[in-house]
Amino acid sequence: MGGGGICLSGGQQLESLANAGGINSVNATTERIALSALLHDIGKFWSRTRLDPPFTKDERDYFGTYAHALWSAHFVERYIGDPEITAWVRMHHKPDSREARLISLADWLSSAERAEDAELPRGKPEAASLANIFAGIRVDAAASRETPTYFPLVQHDDFGPQFMPSPSVTTSETDYCALWEAFLHAVESLKGPTLDLTTWLALMRRFCSRIPAATPTTLRGYLPDINLYDHSRSVAALAACFAADETTEAKASAIQEAMVSGRGTLADEPLCQLVCGTLSGIQDFLYTIVSKQAAKTLRGRSFVLQLAAEVCAEQTCIHACVPACCVIYCGGGRFFALLPLGADVPDIQSRLSGRVLDHFHGQVALHLGAVTLTANDFKGNSFAAQWSKAGMEANRLRTQRLTQLAASDYDKAFGFLDEGGADHKCGVCGRNDATTALDETPICNDCSYYANIGKALRTARWLVRTNTSHAPEGFNEFCVLFGYELHLVDRPNSRLPRMQQVIELNGFDLARTREDLRPPADISFGYRMLAQAWPQSTDGAVKTFEELA
């Protein structure tokens, strides 16, 4: 762990990147359309500050569109600096190009789930707080409704006294001004315009997760229960799918017309795919370890599984030629993604599943279940039903865990294992390849690196994605197949390979990260929340399960 960081390392040989085979890339136009879709409603955030509009009445009359679209366009013009993206954002309610039409269709579909309540008080958009959907859950249908609760307008990682929902929350333009000022400070820390979609996703997540995407207006009583970040990234995901499928402007317009009129069959034709990816074998991987030294490896094992699911989700998108914004959920060893109709999901499964099995010695496997979605599947409860179907299809494939591997490499699936000898048995996982010791316990390379990662997580400040090195180890032997490595870093480390992405742990201070790490200009930024508190003995060591008991 020298030099301020730890490589996610252990020791086993995998195929080289050159032999990884056929990794696709995302078309630049698809990424630009996705970025436009992500920022199409950022003007709602800006306009609720009640600051002076950045446009004139003549400009609004000329374009004939909603005011928030003009707010959004001026933001994009200032901080993205791409005239085409600016135009697509400006006209997403009055499409005058294929790209604007794709964003418009994606916006319609993402908004189709909006519920209305005629009894909601109508007022200014900046006065509406994000509703807590859990307050509306009733175990007994006959029970009275719970008192509604609302989220304060704070940053996503602000876990102070104002974080939790409350019935007495109030929101005003003053709150929006404070949040907007913090948002602009972060954006300006980028030191110039950037088209990096990953960075903008992180910024939207941090600052827009408590902003209602829609609010009760004088015309419609929309429930303010969907946040602007989730709405925007689902629009980005759908727009990316349509772009990758080369959907024409005429077809997108016809689908919208069919949704409004209810005539014809176009709204019932396949539009995109919903894919569920799940890792099987998690329980065996985490818990089939002896109690001795288990506490020192369990945290590392759990973290690597999280990373494995995220890598698989990202690579599923890349193989489908869409950006990672198409991952709409990832957690607990499972992810869901929206993919183009043209994506060959069985082929993606075959490309990724063998590598997962190889790296985890057959204990963990990846399964991808897919269903097709129509425009009508985005209305009412239909999407939830399709979500369940995709999950059930992935679960069905779990029962055929070794079938696909056996088709390509029968011996790897069902051949003899090298038994080794009793002198080489790992004292943690039981495999017969122990090469070192941990507190006098024989331990294999994998368990050694899980213990090291668990220790490094206590003080790590960043998870850094870098170019590949000459001798990747452990989990990086998996990551290198896709062109990068991951490193946990607790202080500046000049010996890292060239950085591709910096993910700050438990915070998102772009200015501080830039100052501390001095990353190259063309880099992505992000953040993730991570538990970094462990019970400790008086000497500062992490307590074992026996000590806790």
Side-chain angles (χ1 to χ4, degrees), residues 257-301:
E257 184 178 342
M259 291 174 66
V260 173
S261 67
R263 295 192 296 269
T265 61
L266 198 55
D268 289 313
E269 293 181 7
L271 191 63
C272 61
Q273 299 184 79
L274 176 64
V275 173
C276 173
T278 183
L279 296 177
S280 63
I282 289 177
Q283 297 300 314
D284 288 343
F285 177 74
L286 287 178
Y287 301 118
T288 55
I289 52 179
V290 297
S291 60
K292 193 170 185 180
Q293 309 298 349
K296 295 184 178 180
T297 65
L298 184 58
R299 185 68 185 95
R301 286 173 174 266

Side-chain angles (χ1 to χ4, degrees), residues 192-323:
T194 178
L195 290 134
D196 186 75
L197 184 58
T198 301
T199 301
W200 282 108
L201 276 166
L203 287 165
M204 291 285 287
R205 180 187 178 207
R206 175 160 184 171
F207 293 100
C208 299
S209 291
R210 292 296 185 86
I211 298 175
T215 61
T217 68
T218 54
L219 297 177
R220 308 290 293 268
Y222 290 124
L223 285 169
D225 58 349
I226 303 295
N227 68 66
L228 184 59
Y229 165 65
D230 283 329
H231 168 67
S232 298
R233 69 192 182 104
S234 65
V235 175
L238 287 165
C241 289
F242 303 151
D245 273 332
E246 300 183 347
T247 303
T248 65
E249 181 179 358
K251 182 174 181 180
S253 179
I255 293 171
Q256 287 181 296
E257 184 178 342
M259 291 174 66
V260 173
S261 67
R263 295 192 296 269
T265 61
L266 198 55
D268 289 313
E269 293 181 7
L271 191 63
C272 61
Q273 299 184 79
L274 176 64
V275 173
C276 173
T278 183
L279 296 177
S280 63
I282 289 177
Q283 297 300 314
D284 288 343
F285 177 74
L286 287 178
Y287 301 118
T288 55
I289 52 179
V290 297
S291 60
K292 193 170 185 180
Q293 309 298 349
K296 295 184 178 180
T297 65
L298 184 58
R299 185 68 185 95
R301 286 173 174 266
S302 177
F303 185 65
V304 165
L305 276 179
Q306 293 176 42
L307 294 179
E310 292 167 13
V311 170
C312 289
E314 178 186 57
Q315 291 304 316
T316 295
C317 291
I318 291 175
H319 281 77
C321 298
V322 289

